Amino acid sequence: MNWKNLIQIAFRALNNNKLRCFLTMLGIMIGVASVIAMLAIGQGSKRSIKAQISEMGSNMIMIHPGNMRMGGVRQSAADMESLKLTDYENIKDLPHIDLCSPSVNSSGQAIYGANNTPTTLYGVNTAYTGIRMYDVARGEMFTEDDIRRISKVCVIGQTVADELFGENGDPLGQTIRFNKTPFKIIGILKKKGYNSMGQDQDDLILAPYTSVQKRILAITHLRGIYASATSEEESRQAIEEIRAVLRENHRLGEFDEEDFTIRSQEELSSMMSSTTNLMTVLLACIAGISLLVGGIGIMNIMYVSVTERTREIGLRMSIGAKGKHILWQFLIEAVIISVSGGLIGVLLGVGAAVAIKLIAGWPVYVQLYSVVLSFAVCTVTGIFFGWYPARKAASLDPIEALRYE
């Protein structure tokens, strides 16, 4: 079997029908390009969400009162007031906890002169900015002394600053009112923008938790505790330590339902990743349909080619060509079509991903495995859909083939 001659014959046959060959390759090209582009969009979205979650604090652990696993069951007021300052004091001293902050919050109107804006006031301590990855762009953060003295000072986000003072205003040193209580602005947070859930991370006011507890809410319990594990790998261990401390503090028995909920950024990241993975698979399956259609196109064209060249097949067999030679001749043609279409499709897919990033501004990330997988699938598609027509050509009776018109 002379492979060089078989390849030359295959190229010559395809060259005689350039337009038909190109249209057959088009299905493979579109299929491969679609798979690469869709996987790039899915992977880009996944990496973007992970990056945004990391900006919120990759080691962050959130503790809230009440048990969210109870679903629609109405919880008592005592359950929603289950977190106390003693819980915070015990948690911050745990070995796998790096930073810890109590949290109380209130929604309301921030007012300065004739301007007002709806926002949320968070009562926290000095560790909160480290946990949530906030930086003070101008001014300074309030101190532990401010917390002890229940000072009416605050640090505001950029959105609040723009709404109350305009883009060119200077909020530092000014006094705003939140639900009739005055707070002096001592700092402005660095702009963070929107997170992956579409929440404006700059629409907030930070104040000492003691001030919010006593001057705004008149409560002694906490509405949450934020903590940061010593490392992302030790988050699970930190959560177990926190759970043990809270169960002991709240005097919960072995089979008692917990009156608190612990969530970590790792858990949120896993949930978002599973969602994006599902969407990526869905997009890849939709794109894969066009690859399947391209494969069917190859089979169809090869059938037409076998019919058109029946006399040629009979002539080649009459001068000594065996069935396997005819089989390989047509199979090589099918593989050339699919491989050539796959190579062009890879270039189109990568180009489409880059164009989507530049024009639409979507996060995309082309992974090597998606290129290799798409190319391998299109090659297998050519062999699979080209084999049956080639087998039909190889099984033709030479005498009947020569009589064919």
Side-chain angles (χ1 to χ4, degrees), residues 27 56 72 85 213 235 248 255 260 324 329 342 356 373 403:
M56 295 167 60
L85 274 172
Q213 269 187 319
S235 292
E248 182 179 353
F255 301 104
F260 56 87
K324 63 180 180 180
Q329 177 187 337
I356 290 170
L373 178 63
R403 289 177 179 171

Side-chain angles (χ1 to χ4, degrees), residues 153-292:
V153 294
C154 69
V155 178
I156 64 174
Q158 191 61 55
T159 299
V160 177
D162 292 343
E163 291 292 333
L164 295 182
F165 300 93
E167 293 184 3
N168 300 319
D170 185 11
L172 287 179
Q174 302 295 332
T175 299
I176 62 173
R177 286 180 292 125
F178 184 88
N179 292 354
K180 300 181 180 180
T181 302
F183 284 90
K184 182 180 178 180
I185 300 172
I186 60 173
I188 303 171
L189 296 171
K190 185 177 179 180
K191 188 176 179 65
K192 288 189 72 173
Y194 288 82
N195 62 19
S196 56
M197 270 90 61
Q199 296 173 330
D200 186 357
Q201 299 180 90
D202 303 310
D203 186 12
L204 80 168
I205 301 174
L206 302 183
Y209 70 89
T210 52
S211 303
V212 178
Q213 269 187 319
K214 300 184 183 302
R215 299 182 186 275
I216 302 292
L217 299 173
I219 60 175
T220 57
H221 62 273
L222 301 177
R223 291 186 172 176
I225 298 173
Y226 288 84
S228 178
T230 49
S231 69
E232 194 170 350
E233 294 74 23
E234 294 177 342
S235 292
R236 292 182 182 274
Q237 181 64 31
I239 289 173
E240 292 306 315
E241 290 175 355
I242 292 170
R243 178 172 283 110
V245 164
L246 292 179
R247 290 190 68 90
E248 182 179 353
N249 285 0
H250 299 181
R251 296 186 177 137
L252 298 176
E254 183 180 354
F255 301 104
D256 289 341
E257 195 74 50
E258 293 174 351
D259 56 358
F260 56 87
T261 302
I262 304 174
R263 291 284 183 267
S264 67
Q265 290 295 78
E266 180 186 6
E267 185 179 345
L268 178 60
S269 178
S270 299
M271 181 183 68
M272 297 297 289
S273 294
S274 63
T275 303
T276 53
N277 285 339
L278 179 62
M279 291 302 298
T280 302
V281 171
L282 180 61
L283 290 172
C285 288
I286 295 172
I289 293 173
S290 60
L291 196 58
L292 177 63

Side-chain angles (χ1 to χ4, degrees), residues 86 91 149 198 237 246 255 278 286 309 336 350 355 399:
T86 52
I91 290 172
R149 292 189 302 169
Q237 181 64 31
L246 292 179
F255 301 104
L278 179 62
I286 295 172
R309 296 159 62 188
I336 289 173
V350 174
I399 297 174

Side-chain angles (χ1 to χ4, degrees), residues 380-391:
V380 172
T381 299
I383 297 172
F384 178 78
F385 286 101
W387 181 85
Y388 190 75
R391 186 75 183 85

